[in-house]
Amino acid sequence: MALVLNTNAEISHLPDNILLEVFYCLTVKDLCCAGRVCRRWRRVASDRTLWKHVNLTAYELNLTKMWKIIRNHFSDVLLSLHLKGHLDQGGSRWKKSSLSDAMLKELRERCPNISTLELVKVNLTNVSVECLPPRLERLGVISSLFPCGWFRPATDAEVLPSLRQLDLSDSGKTSNSDISGLCHCRHITELKLNGCYRLTDAAAKVIADSLPDLETLEMSGTSCTDLALHHISRHLTQLTSVNMAACTAVTDFGIGLIGHGLVRLKYLSLDRCPSVTDAGIEQLTSLKQLQFLDVTATKVTQSAADRFKMALPRCNVAL
């Protein structure tokens, strides 16, 4: 029997379970608009499963709009939230906040199971770290502004006790003292500090002494030198991924320290480290688990890269 398709069928005729699958493909803005069409669509658009993972980075939201979204759509099913603020020095609204302590407390109460929070270009000057959801496992504060010592309360065991992954990339005012406050979160396994140019060897020492479970460390564009690599290679022996790109003071001596200390390393980026030469990467052939090495914009030659690949045939080299 031939199958007859009704080409005149409207989306409103779809059963709720199929309509729900369609709504999964909508952006947050479109989802909110769909909820205004009719009572049935409002019921489907409010389905709790649609609000487990919310990405708002496509929108620059102010406090009023954030309050409306939290109160109308968030519940205990929310697991991850990504949002973007107004922190653009070229704009007129860069000082405006997208968060407040009261809002974070509301988020804690409504969404006790949230484990991922990513804040992009957010002004956190008037926000306290103690108000962040206590069960966070992944926290991103990217290209954002927070006052010096913002992380100091993290020395309290009740602040961010479950934190495993932290990304502060391009939050340029991050200082050594901020890292000192963070390092009481001893179970961190992934730490990204790319573009935090104020960080020095002192920050690397605190990290190396305080975070023994660290597996991923990214400090590209910082002021770290070979001394930082000494601390890292000596203490952080669980590392499998290291990014020291654009650390212009790193030399072949520091690369040799990596080759002797980080035997579990699988990924290493030395991109834009101008003092790294052929002699440096020759000291990395002892890293038998290495799978990727980035030596773009260094003094490493093609012949040295070819010899390296012969010694470690499973490692891809970007030159």
Side-chain angles (χ1 to χ4, degrees):
M1 182 173 62
L3 178 64
V4 179
L5 297 177
N6 183 2
T7 57
N8 296 320
E10 298 180 0
I11 190 173
S12 58
H13 296 157
L14 294 174
D16 284 1
N17 62 323
I18 302 299
L19 192 60
L20 185 61
E21 292 295 328
V22 175
F23 280 16
Y24 273 126
C25 302
L26 298 181
T27 64
V28 173
K29 182 178 180 180
D30 291 337
L31 194 60
C32 293
C33 292
R36 302 192 190 107
V37 173
C38 64
R39 182 178 299 175
R40 177 175 175 242
W41 279 37
R42 186 184 307 117
R43 185 184 72 252
V44 177
S46 300
D47 189 280
R48 288 157 60 91
T49 60
L50 294 173
W51 297 92
K52 283 186 177 181
H53 305 283
V54 179
N55 191 335
L56 301 173
T57 54
Y59 321 102
E60 294 182 352
L61 301 174
N62 56 31
L63 280 171
T64 302
K65 292 179 179 179
M66 277 302 305
W67 270 114
K68 185 179 295 186
I69 291 175
I70 290 175
R71 286 172 170 166
N72 291 339
H73 302 289
F74 287 0
S75 68
D76 58 354
V77 302
L78 183 69
L79 299 178
S80 66
L81 174 62
H82 306 255
L83 64 89
K84 182 179 180 182
H86 304 279
L87 194 61
D88 184 352
Q89 297 288 354
S92 59
R93 300 183 299 169
W94 74 273
K95 290 186 177 181
K96 290 188 176 181
S97 297
S98 299
L99 290 175
S100 66
D101 283 351
M103 181 181 295
L104 285 175
K105 291 177 181 178
E106 180 80 7
L107 186 66
R108 289 166 60 118
E109 294 177 3
R110 285 179 175 267
C111 314
N113 299 312
I114 182 172
S115 61
T116 298
L117 179 63
E118 182 182 83
L119 309 174
V120 181
K121 292 187 176 181
V122 173
N123 186 351
L124 297 169
T125 304
N126 297 316
V127 177
S128 303
V129 71
E130 300 102 308
C131 294
L132 292 174
R135 293 188 181 182
L136 283 183
E137 296 179 5
R138 291 173 290 277
L139 173 63
V141 185
I142 302 168
S143 301
S144 296
L145 175 66
F146 51 83
C148 182
W150 192 66
F151 284 104
R152 193 171 296 131
T155 55
D156 187 335
E158 296 182 359
V159 178
L160 301 176
S162 302
L163 193 64
R164 298 293 184 271
Q165 300 175 16
L166 177 65
D167 189 350
L168 299 180
S169 295
D170 297 320
S171 294
K173 290 194 174 182
T174 306
S175 64
N176 292 342
S177 61
D178 293 315
I179 302 304
S180 298
L182 276 171
C183 285
H184 288 77
C185 303
R186 296 184 62 83
H187 299 295
I188 292 178
T189 60
E190 181 178 298
L191 181 60
K192 297 182 179 181
L193 302 168
N194 301 315
C196 298
Y197 58 88
R198 298 188 181 195
L199 299 183
T200 66
D201 298 333
K205 184 178 187 307
V206 173
I207 293 170
D209 291 339
S210 307
L211 302 178
D213 297 332
L214 207 60
E215 297 176 2
T216 297
L217 177 61
E218 299 187 6
M219 299 188 72
S220 67
T222 62
S223 299
C224 289
T225 70
D226 290 340
L227 182 57
L229 294 181
H230 163 72
H231 298 307
I232 292 169
S233 301
R234 182 179 179 184
H235 297 286
L236 300 179
T237 55
Q238 304 298 315
L239 282 173
T240 59
S241 178
V242 172
N243 183 357
M244 301 298 292
C247 292
T248 56
V250 168
T251 70
D252 290 341
F253 177 77
I255 305 308
L257 296 173
I258 292 177
H260 286 91
L262 303 182
V263 295
R264 298 190 179 187
L265 206 60
K266 296 181 180 180
Y267 174 93
L268 175 61
S269 177
L270 301 171
D271 174 29
R272 290 164 290 152
C273 294
S275 298
V276 175
T277 69
D278 295 352
I281 68 165
E282 288 174 359
Q283 302 177 78
L284 297 175
T285 55
S286 59
L287 302 179
K288 303 303 180 183
Q289 299 186 43
L290 195 64
Q291 299 175 4
F292 183 82
L293 173 64
D294 189 349
V295 286
T296 308
T298 64
K299 293 181 180 178
V300 175
T301 63
Q302 184 64 56
S303 59
D306 292 339
R307 291 194 301 271
F308 185 85
K309 285 189 283 188
M310 290 181 63
L312 296 177
R314 292 188 299 176
C315 181
N316 294 318
V317 179
L319 181 60

